[in-house]
Amino acid sequence: MVVKNVISVIDGAAGSCGKAKLVGEIATDKTIPLNAAITHCMPNAGHTFVDEKGNAIVFRNIPVSAINPNTELFIGPGSAIDMEVFMEEYAKVEPLLGDRKIYVHEMVPLIEERHKEYERRTITSGSTFKGCGAVTQEKVIRKPELQFFKGYKNALVCSNEEWMDRLYSHLDNPNGYVVMEGAQGCDLDLNHSGNYPYVTSRNVSTAQLLADSGISAERLLETLMVIRPFPIRISDITRDGRFISSGSYGTGDRLMWTQLNLSSMYGSYPFKGDVECYPYDLEPRRIKKLMVHCPEVYLKQLFGMGYRLKKIEEITLLEALELERLVYKSRGFSEYESRIIELPMISSEYPPNTIIDQSEQTSVTKMERKLYDLDIQKLKNNCRINTPYALYLNFYQHLDLSYEHKCGNFEDYYFNRYVRNYFDWLESETNRDICALGTGAKNREYILKKEFIRR
């Protein structure tokens, strides 16, 4: 009888939904015996685990499940390693490893500087230019110059036969689980995202994780799909100030972080024209001052490469609010008092006109992410392809900021009609249950609705 004990954790949007958060919650749950973990990651993405004390570790190639001292760790042949990045990651993760080995498949290629340079010259759609697509291309065409991982400290190279024997000792064990930690997001899938050429260099699905791991689909117990209410894409501006379009998000409207900041604070949903409901003052001298003090990279982000031609009188209220936010952000403020708009008080602990900025940067490029409304058809397609057991709705605080950092059980909380309707809509459209609401970056900051593991 085939043992079904494989758990796949994948991102149901365009990345950065919080796969590492969910993996961490599984790995630290003492009721879940997690015997092995596999990644097929590349250095073009970071997976951030934040413990209960707020300490963050960014994983690139090593499984996040390294936080569980009893889990055996595998880096699969769908990975690619940049040795400089890997050594830096290893140094940070080494205290968690102890004397454990990391088993690296012999077919993991090495990314060299020439791969990154090739991408910088060639790719004109969105990319982190980490060499992942270029090294994959060389592996596919069997280029003789391609080098493979040779080992580093306790990261040992396994032949394919050794890999299978060691991995299947866990797959054949009915008393424990094996987790496949996905990379990237379904809406970056090379073939099925509908976003080509604004995609990653491979397919993103549970089926691909199984194939790369050498695991039969018969072994799969379940897929857990992590999503967020408002998906993101990487910035159109590179770190050196160049403009390279990273694409849109299907039919989802482009949103500004100001819209999310205000709607989540006041219990509404972001929509076009939503900021005009508040009294405001677009005094030209104030707007001009914001333009002068806003860093160039943010001006390009907001107005495009022709930002110098933008006339003060043409700036909308929403753009002005974004300018104000970006100026404060450049100075290190995530909470500030708006001088443009008049807002109701959130609570007595905040001064009038307070705005709490929830904007994000990517783990790798450190550039601000673009924000979109959810395209439900894209999510439905991703559910068709992957048939998740449940949806983990992370970043729930983006729908209602008052729930940030909350934890416990779903039935212990009251949710207003707007949020309940959202839950019902999401579950009915996808025909999938929500298993939990992620309410913050830290481990255990979630509200449980349904057990993670199919028992």
Side-chain angles (χ1 to χ4, degrees):
M1 183 178 177
V2 174
V3 176
K4 292 180 178 288
N5 62 353
V6 176
I7 302 163
S8 171
V9 177
I10 63 171
D11 186 309
S16 301
C17 285
K19 297 178 293 295
K21 177 173 171 57
L22 177 53
V23 169
E25 285 162 0
I26 293 171
T28 56
D29 188 333
K30 294 181 180 180
T31 70
I32 301 174
L34 188 59
N35 291 350
I38 313 166
T39 64
H40 298 278
C41 299
M42 299 186 186
N44 56 343
H47 310 279
T48 305
F49 172 76
V50 184
D51 68 17
E52 288 88 340
K53 296 179 181 179
N55 302 309
I57 302 177
V58 179
F59 293 83
R60 305 282 279 277
N61 284 111
I62 298 170
V64 175
S65 300
I67 61 175
N68 183 328
N70 301 312
T71 302
E72 199 157 81
L73 309 173
F74 295 81
I75 297 177
S79 303
I81 287 177
D82 180 321
M83 281 307 300
E84 183 179 349
V85 174
F86 185 78
M87 288 188 291
E88 182 181 341
E89 177 189 4
Y90 194 99
K92 293 177 180 177
V93 177
E94 196 166 11
L96 295 171
L97 295 175
D99 59 357
R100 274 185 297 172
K101 307 292 191 295
I102 302 174
Y103 299 99
V104 185
H105 195 280
E106 63 181 340
M107 292 304 295
V108 174
L110 288 176
I111 296 172
E112 300 179 59
E113 186 57 37
R114 62 190 172 85
H115 297 119
K116 303 172 198 175
E117 179 56 35
Y118 176 81
E119 290 189 352
R120 286 191 287 267
R121 293 195 317 266
T122 307
I123 298 177
T124 56
S125 58
S127 176
T128 58
F129 304 109
K130 298 299 180 183
C132 305
V135 79
T136 301
Q137 179 187 49
E138 286 193 4
K139 185 178 179 182
V140 170
I141 64 172
R142 286 84 77 193
K143 196 166 185 176
E145 303 96 291
L146 184 64
Q147 299 294 310
F148 290 87
F149 183 73
K150 301 295 192 297
Y152 179 75
K153 293 191 174 182
N154 275 354
L156 310 178
V157 177
C158 288
S159 69
N160 188 61
E161 184 174 347
E162 291 169 332
W163 168 274
M164 288 292 186
D165 286 346
R166 184 166 288 278
L167 179 58
Y168 271 77
S169 68
H170 298 296
L171 293 170
D172 290 334
N173 180 359
N175 298 315
Y177 298 96
V178 175
V179 67
M180 300 187 302
E181 302 180 13
Q184 306 287 343
C186 294
D187 290 320
L188 300 177
D189 186 283
L190 182 63
N191 291 326
H192 298 293
S193 66
N195 289 329
Y196 188 88
Y198 307 108
V199 294
T200 192
S201 55
R202 55 183 173 173
N203 295 329
V204 182
S205 67
T206 288
Q208 189 65 54
L209 287 174
L210 288 166
D212 285 341
S213 303
I215 300 175
S216 163
E218 288 293 312
R219 301 278 184 164
L220 182 67
L221 174 66
E222 67 180 39
T223 293
L224 291 172
M225 180 177 284
V226 189
I227 62 172
R228 54 191 296 164
F230 305 104
I232 57 89
R233 297 300 306 261
I234 62 171
S235 176
D236 291 328
I237 310 298
T238 63
R239 293 190 72 176
D240 58 4
R242 289 181 295 144
F243 182 85
I244 297 181
S245 176
S246 60
S248 58
Y249 190 76
T251 61
D253 289 335
R254 175 79 183 269
L255 300 174
M256 292 191 183
W257 283 101
T258 290
Q259 292 173 277
L260 182 146
N261 293 337
L262 292 176
S263 65
S264 65
M265 288 163 59
Y266 294 105
S268 61
Y269 196 89
F271 60 91
K272 289 181 179 178
D274 50 5
V275 295
E276 279 86 1
C277 66
Y278 303 107
Y280 60 90
D281 177 13
L282 282 183
E283 208 278 316
R285 283 185 299 177
R286 180 178 291 130
I287 307 306
K288 185 176 181 179
K289 187 177 180 180
L290 289 172
M291 289 284 284
V292 169
H293 288 91
C294 189
E296 183 181 41
V297 67
Y298 285 149
L299 291 173
K300 290 178 180 178
Q301 173 183 302
L302 181 56
F303 298 118
M305 297 303 284
Y307 68 94
R308 289 188 178 91
L309 303 176
K310 189 72 174 181
K311 297 179 180 178
I312 299 297
E313 59 271 18
E314 293 176 348
I315 293 176
T316 67
L317 172 61
L318 186 55
E319 289 171 336
L321 288 168
E322 276 291 275
L323 262 178
E324 183 181 48
R325 180 185 70 80
L326 291 167
V327 169
Y328 276 110
K329 181 170 183 171
S330 69
R331 297 173 178 175
F333 292 96
S334 59
E335 182 183 310
Y336 60 92
E337 184 180 342
S338 176
R339 303 299 177 87
I340 294 173
I341 200 166
E342 294 182 26
L343 299 168
M345 290 188 65
I346 311 172
S347 68
S348 57
E349 62 182 292
Y350 296 109
N353 294 347
T354 296
I355 296 179
I356 299 167
D357 186 14
Q358 301 178 72
S359 61
E360 306 164 17
Q361 290 70 239
T362 62
S363 305
V364 175
T365 66
K366 306 302 180 185
M367 298 299 292
E368 188 167 279
R369 292 165 170 155
K370 296 190 300 185
L371 188 70
Y372 289 89
D373 197 3
L374 181 66
D375 180 339
I376 191 63
Q377 188 57 51
K378 292 178 74 61
L379 179 57
K380 288 167 70 173
N381 286 341
N382 295 336
C383 287
R384 286 171 176 167
I385 292 168
N386 294 282
T387 321
Y389 165 65
L391 304 175
Y392 184 100
L393 180 60
N394 203 19
F395 295 94
Y396 172 66
Q397 69 272 22
H398 287 177
L399 287 171
D400 189 337
L401 188 59
S402 67
Y403 280 82
E404 189 170 33
H405 308 308
K406 294 289 193 294
C407 56
N409 294 314
F410 192 84
E411 59 268 21
D412 296 332
Y413 286 90
Y414 169 78
F415 298 96
N416 63 36
R417 186 165 60 179
Y418 143 66
V419 171
R420 292 200 308 272
N421 288 342
Y422 182 87
F423 295 155
D424 292 343
W425 169 75
L426 192 61
E427 291 183 327
S428 63
E429 287 288 328
T430 61
N431 197 28
R432 291 292 176 268
D433 292 335
I434 296 169
C435 64
L437 311 175
T439 59
K442 293 180 184 178
N443 193 44
R444 300 300 170 206
E445 288 187 337
Y446 68 87
I447 298 171
L448 186 66
K449 188 171 183 283
K450 177 180 178 178
E451 292 293 335
F452 296 146
I453 307 301
R454 191 196 304 266
R455 303 291 185 175

